[in-house]
Amino acid sequence: VDPSAVACRMVERIRDRNDWRAQIEVIQAAAGSENGQLEMIDCGPAASGYFNLPGDQPVSDRTVVPMLTIDSLSQRAGRPPTVVKIDVESFEGEVLAGGRETLSKNDVVVCIELHHQIMRQRKADPTMPVRKLREYGYRRFERGGREVPPESLIEEEISRLIARK
């Protein structure tokens, strides 16, 4: 799931070259706390085709993309995922909120990039993603193959973790 057509085409090429079409469905959308639509903007020449949330950009520069939850994606697939990778530039808590049923009731490995500094800048609670994961039954957090207390990483700008039940 990615809002970028460029990113989706790249994953489709990798999928098709490796004959993984039966295992991987590429969906052009944003992930979030609820199903709906989300306004985004192209990141510009250095990252053309990749999207971020708009600031003060004019409406003419904005693109509306579908927004789907982990739970609705799981229902759509007819089964829960085995792995979920979340890299959403500080909206990790919102994406996890949209996965309450799927993540609470199933053994899904979560690979997550936590953008603590950006969360603080937008006045979001940087502890929320880990609290949500714990609420859903996740107890083991790994970094570099070693178990770590995720709270110890909160002062880092970005933390990359694998969460397991």
Side-chain angles (χ1 to χ4, degrees):
V1 175
D2 198 293
S4 165
V6 171
C8 288
R9 282 192 302 272
M10 183 172 40
V11 172
E12 287 170 339
R13 280 194 302 270
I14 293 167
R15 176 198 65 193
D16 295 348
R17 287 181 182 162
N18 288 283
D19 197 27
W20 294 336
R21 188 173 283 276
Q23 292 90 353
I24 298 173
E25 178 184 4
V26 178
I27 301 169
Q28 187 178 347
S33 60
E34 58 189 41
N35 293 320
Q37 295 185 325
L38 185 64
E39 269 192 350
M40 301 190 86
I41 58 157
D42 189 294
C43 292
S48 184
Y50 291 89
F51 291 94
N52 209 336
L53 292 180
D56 59 358
Q57 290 82 1
V59 173
S60 60
D61 290 348
R62 299 175 187 206
T63 300
V64 176
V65 298
M67 184 169 64
L68 303 170
T69 65
I70 292 171
D71 288 340
S72 69
L73 289 162
S74 182
Q75 290 172 352
R76 174 180 171 161
R79 60 184 165 76
T82 54
V83 176
V84 170
K85 181 192 181 289
I86 302 171
D87 181 3
V88 290
E89 315 305 314
S90 86
F91 290 88
E92 298 83 10
E94 288 85 342
V95 172
L96 289 168
R100 176 179 305 282
E101 290 295 312
T102 301
L103 299 176
S104 293
K105 295 179 179 177
N106 299 285
D107 189 14
V108 180
V109 175
V110 176
C111 303
I112 189 165
E113 188 167 279
L114 300 165
H115 292 263
H116 301 122
Q117 182 177 348
I118 301 173
M119 283 185 231
R120 283 189 283 276
Q121 288 171 348
R122 68 177 188 91
K123 308 284 191 265
D125 179 0
T127 67
M128 192 210 339
V130 170
R131 283 189 293 112
K132 285 235 170 274
L133 286 166
R134 288 194 191 284
E135 177 186 327
Y136 299 162
Y138 289 82
R139 299 290 177 257
R140 182 173 175 85
F141 297 87
E142 301 171 3
R143 179 176 170 173
R146 296 175 189 227
E147 190 168 2
V148 295
E151 296 81 5
S152 69
L153 308 173
I154 199 74
E155 294 307 316
E156 295 182 5
E157 183 176 332
I158 298 174
S159 298
R160 293 171 183 93
L161 297 173
I162 296 175
R164 301 175 190 272
K165 291 198 170 178

